[in-house]
Amino acid sequence: MSGASSGSLDPKGPSAEAIADLWWLMLGLGVAVFVLFAVLLAVGLFRRRRADEGQPSEKRWIVAGGVVMPLVVLVVVFGATVAAMRALPDESPPGALEIEVIGHQWYFEVRYPEAGITTVGELHLPVGQRVEFHLTSADVIHSFWVPELGGKMDMLPDGVNVLVLQADEPGEWETSCAEFCGLEHATMQLDVVAESPEDFAAWIEQQG
Protein backbone atom coordinates (compact mmCIF):
# COMPACT_ATOMS: atom_id res chain seq x y z
CA MET A 1 0.00 0.00 0.00
CA SER A 2 1.26 3.48 -0.76
CA GLY A 3 0.21 6.82 0.59
CA ALA A 4 1.45 10.32 1.35
CA SER A 5 1.62 11.95 4.75
CA SER A 6 -0.01 15.38 4.86
CA GLY A 7 1.23 16.33 8.31
CA SER A 8 -0.16 17.77 11.52
CA LEU A 9 -1.17 21.07 9.85
CA ASP A 10 -3.69 19.20 7.70
CA PRO A 11 -5.79 17.67 10.51
CA LYS A 12 -8.18 14.81 9.82
CA GLY A 13 -9.52 14.38 13.35
CA PRO A 14 -10.70 16.49 16.31
CA SER A 15 -7.50 16.02 18.34
CA ALA A 16 -5.25 17.05 15.46
CA GLU A 17 -7.53 19.99 14.68
CA ALA A 18 -7.23 21.34 18.24
CA ILE A 19 -3.44 21.02 18.09
CA ALA A 20 -3.26 22.69 14.66
CA ASP A 21 -5.44 25.61 15.80
CA LEU A 22 -3.12 26.20 18.75
CA TRP A 23 -0.08 26.11 16.46
CA TRP A 24 -1.57 28.66 14.07
CA LEU A 25 -2.48 30.94 16.99
CA MET A 26 1.07 30.82 18.34
CA LEU A 27 2.48 31.48 14.87
CA GLY A 28 0.16 34.47 14.38
CA LEU A 29 1.08 35.97 17.74
CA GLY A 30 4.78 35.46 17.07
CA VAL A 31 4.57 37.13 13.67
CA ALA A 32 2.52 40.04 15.07
CA VAL A 33 5.01 40.70 17.89
CA PHE A 34 7.98 40.46 15.50
CA VAL A 35 6.42 42.90 13.03
CA LEU A 36 5.51 45.35 15.80
CA PHE A 37 9.01 45.43 17.24
CA ALA A 38 10.56 45.64 13.76
CA VAL A 39 8.40 48.69 13.00
CA LEU A 40 9.24 50.34 16.33
CA LEU A 41 12.94 49.67 15.78
CA ALA A 42 12.82 51.18 12.30
CA VAL A 43 10.97 54.23 13.60
CA GLY A 44 13.50 54.69 16.36
CA LEU A 45 16.47 54.38 14.00
CA PHE A 46 15.29 56.67 11.23
CA ARG A 47 13.08 59.19 12.99
CA ARG A 48 14.65 62.61 13.46
CA ARG A 49 13.86 64.35 16.74
CA ARG A 50 13.03 68.05 16.61
CA ALA A 51 15.15 70.40 18.65
CA ASP A 52 12.24 71.41 20.89
CA GLU A 53 11.10 67.79 21.41
CA GLY A 54 11.65 66.27 24.84
CA GLN A 55 13.27 62.94 25.60
CA PRO A 56 10.97 59.92 25.25
CA SER A 57 9.87 58.13 28.41
CA GLU A 58 12.08 55.05 28.55
CA LYS A 59 10.24 53.71 31.58
CA ARG A 60 6.93 53.75 29.72
CA TRP A 61 8.34 51.81 26.79
CA ILE A 62 10.03 49.27 29.07
CA VAL A 63 6.80 48.62 30.97
CA ALA A 64 4.65 48.40 27.83
CA GLY A 65 7.02 46.37 25.65
CA GLY A 66 8.85 44.37 28.27
CA VAL A 67 6.10 43.58 30.78
CA VAL A 68 2.57 44.22 29.54
CA MET A 69 2.89 42.80 26.02
CA PRO A 70 4.68 39.55 27.00
CA LEU A 71 2.19 39.07 29.82
CA VAL A 72 -0.77 39.45 27.45
CA VAL A 73 0.76 37.02 24.95
CA LEU A 74 1.52 34.44 27.66
CA VAL A 75 -2.01 34.66 29.07
CA VAL A 76 -3.55 34.19 25.62
CA VAL A 77 -1.27 31.23 24.80
CA PHE A 78 -1.86 29.65 28.21
CA GLY A 79 -5.62 29.95 27.85
CA ALA A 80 -5.56 28.52 24.34
CA THR A 81 -3.33 25.65 25.47
CA VAL A 82 -5.68 24.73 28.32
CA ALA A 83 -8.64 24.86 25.91
CA ALA A 84 -6.79 22.61 23.43
CA MET A 85 -5.92 20.12 26.18
CA ARG A 86 -9.55 19.95 27.26
CA ALA A 87 -10.58 19.28 23.67
CA LEU A 88 -8.36 16.18 23.49
CA PRO A 89 -10.40 13.06 24.33
CA ASP A 90 -8.94 11.02 27.18
CA GLU A 91 -11.51 8.23 27.18
CA SER A 92 -13.62 6.34 24.66
CA PRO A 93 -17.33 5.51 24.92
CA PRO A 94 -18.37 2.07 26.19
CA GLY A 95 -17.97 -0.61 23.55
CA ALA A 96 -15.50 1.44 21.51
CA LEU A 97 -12.99 -0.32 19.28
CA GLU A 98 -9.75 -1.20 21.07
CA ILE A 99 -6.53 -1.66 19.12
CA GLU A 100 -3.23 -2.79 20.60
CA VAL A 101 -0.05 -1.43 19.02
CA ILE A 102 3.26 -2.96 20.07
CA GLY A 103 6.59 -1.46 19.09
CA HIS A 104 9.44 -3.77 18.10
CA GLN A 105 12.91 -3.16 16.76
CA TRP A 106 11.99 -2.21 14.10
CA TYR A 107 8.32 -2.61 13.20
CA PHE A 108 4.81 -1.99 14.52
CA GLU A 109 2.66 -4.95 15.50
CA VAL A 110 -1.06 -4.13 15.44
CA ARG A 111 -3.60 -6.35 17.20
CA TYR A 112 -7.40 -6.29 17.07
CA PRO A 113 -8.25 -8.36 20.19
CA GLU A 114 -11.99 -8.68 19.57
CA ALA A 115 -11.46 -9.99 16.04
CA GLY A 116 -8.35 -12.03 16.83
CA ILE A 117 -6.40 -10.33 14.03
CA THR A 118 -2.77 -9.23 13.97
CA THR A 119 -1.04 -7.17 11.28
CA VAL A 120 2.49 -5.83 10.89
CA GLY A 121 3.16 -2.29 9.71
CA GLU A 122 -0.48 -1.64 8.79
CA LEU A 123 -3.23 -0.04 10.85
CA HIS A 124 -6.93 0.20 9.89
CA LEU A 125 -9.58 2.19 11.76
CA PRO A 126 -13.18 3.23 11.06
CA VAL A 127 -14.06 6.84 10.31
CA GLY A 128 -16.23 8.81 12.72
CA GLN A 129 -15.56 6.62 15.75
CA ARG A 130 -13.29 7.07 18.74
CA VAL A 131 -10.68 4.33 18.85
CA GLU A 132 -8.83 3.42 22.03
CA PHE A 133 -5.19 2.54 21.36
CA HIS A 134 -3.27 0.50 23.92
CA LEU A 135 0.39 1.28 23.30
CA THR A 136 3.34 -0.72 24.60
CA SER A 137 6.80 -1.93 23.55
CA ALA A 138 8.47 -5.32 23.35
CA ASP A 139 12.00 -3.95 23.79
CA VAL A 140 13.06 -0.29 23.93
CA ILE A 141 11.09 2.97 24.04
CA HIS A 142 9.25 3.74 20.81
CA SER A 143 6.73 6.50 20.05
CA PHE A 144 3.38 6.30 18.27
CA TRP A 145 2.33 9.34 16.25
CA VAL A 146 -0.17 9.83 13.44
CA PRO A 147 0.17 13.62 12.88
CA GLU A 148 -3.09 13.87 10.92
CA LEU A 149 -5.08 12.41 13.82
CA GLY A 150 -3.48 13.73 17.01
CA GLY A 151 -0.47 14.02 19.26
CA LYS A 152 2.26 11.49 19.93
CA MET A 153 2.60 9.08 22.84
CA ASP A 154 5.50 6.93 23.99
CA MET A 155 5.38 3.15 23.84
CA LEU A 156 7.08 1.82 26.97
CA PRO A 157 8.36 -1.71 27.65
CA ASP A 158 7.15 -1.66 31.27
CA GLY A 159 3.57 -0.44 30.88
CA VAL A 160 0.63 0.40 28.64
CA ASN A 161 -0.26 3.93 27.58
CA VAL A 162 -3.77 4.66 26.31
CA LEU A 163 -4.39 7.11 23.47
CA VAL A 164 -7.83 7.95 22.08
CA LEU A 165 -7.99 9.10 18.45
CA GLN A 166 -10.69 9.65 15.85
CA ALA A 167 -10.54 10.07 12.08
CA ASP A 168 -13.19 12.37 10.61
CA GLU A 169 -12.68 11.39 7.00
CA PRO A 170 -11.20 8.53 4.99
CA GLY A 171 -7.54 8.67 4.12
CA GLU A 172 -4.22 6.87 3.96
CA TRP A 173 -1.12 8.15 5.70
CA GLU A 174 2.41 6.94 6.25
CA THR A 175 3.97 7.54 9.62
CA SER A 176 6.99 6.29 11.51
CA CYS A 177 8.34 5.82 15.00
CA ALA A 178 8.82 9.25 16.60
CA GLU A 179 11.50 8.15 19.10
CA PHE A 180 15.01 7.09 18.14
CA CYS A 181 15.05 3.37 18.91
CA GLY A 182 18.18 1.96 17.30
CA LEU A 183 20.13 1.67 14.08
CA GLU A 184 17.09 0.79 11.93
CA HIS A 185 14.84 3.47 13.44
CA ALA A 186 14.27 5.17 10.07
CA THR A 187 12.79 1.98 8.61
CA MET A 188 10.14 1.58 11.34
CA GLN A 189 7.11 2.62 9.28
CA LEU A 190 3.36 2.31 9.78
CA ASP A 191 0.69 2.61 7.08
CA VAL A 192 -2.52 4.05 8.51
CA VAL A 193 -5.85 3.57 6.71
CA ALA A 194 -9.01 5.36 7.84
CA GLU A 195 -12.07 3.98 6.07
CA SER A 196 -15.84 3.91 6.37
CA PRO A 197 -17.28 1.59 9.03
CA GLU A 198 -18.59 -0.64 6.25
CA ASP A 199 -15.18 -0.90 4.56
CA PHE A 200 -13.52 -1.47 7.92
CA ALA A 201 -15.94 -4.31 8.74
CA ALA A 202 -15.28 -5.83 5.31
CA TRP A 203 -11.52 -5.59 5.90
CA ILE A 204 -11.86 -7.30 9.29
CA GLU A 205 -13.91 -10.09 7.71
CA GLN A 206 -11.36 -10.48 4.91
CA GLN A 207 -8.47 -10.70 7.37
CA GLY A 208 -10.32 -13.29 9.43
Side-chain angles (χ1 to χ4, degrees), residues 24-45:
W24 284 114
L25 173 64
M26 294 175 64
L27 177 64
L29 288 174
V31 171
V33 171
F34 174 80
V35 171
L36 175 61
F37 276 94
V39 170
L40 292 177
L41 178 62
V43 170
L45 290 175

Side-chain angles (χ1 to χ4, degrees), residues 23 37 46 48 50 52 55 58 71 93 108 120 134 137 140 149 152 154 157 164-165 170 178 181 194 205:
W23 189 91
F37 276 94
F46 298 104
R48 294 183 178 180
R50 297 194 303 268
D52 58 345
Q55 294 291 331
E58 296 180 358
L71 182 61
F108 289 96
V120 174
H134 293 195
S137 171
V140 300
L149 301 183
K152 67 179 68 174
D154 283 345
V164 179
L165 296 176
C181 55
E205 183 177 357

Side-chain angles (χ1 to χ4, degrees), residues 54-121:
Q55 294 291 331
S57 176
E58 296 180 358
K59 186 175 182 180
R60 179 184 63 187
W61 284 105
I62 292 175
V63 172
V67 178
V68 176
M69 181 177 295
L71 182 61
V72 171
V73 172
L74 287 175
V75 169
V76 172
V77 172
F78 177 77
T81 301
V82 172
M85 293 175 64
R86 289 181 176 178
L88 302 179
D90 56 2
E91 60 182 14
S92 57
L97 175 65
E98 295 183 5
I99 299 178
E100 299 174 357
V101 184
I102 305 171
H104 298 262
Q105 289 180 310
W106 290 271
Y107 64 93
F108 289 96
E109 177 186 356
V110 183
R111 297 178 181 175
Y112 302 81
E114 295 182 2
I117 296 172
T118 299
T119 63
V120 174

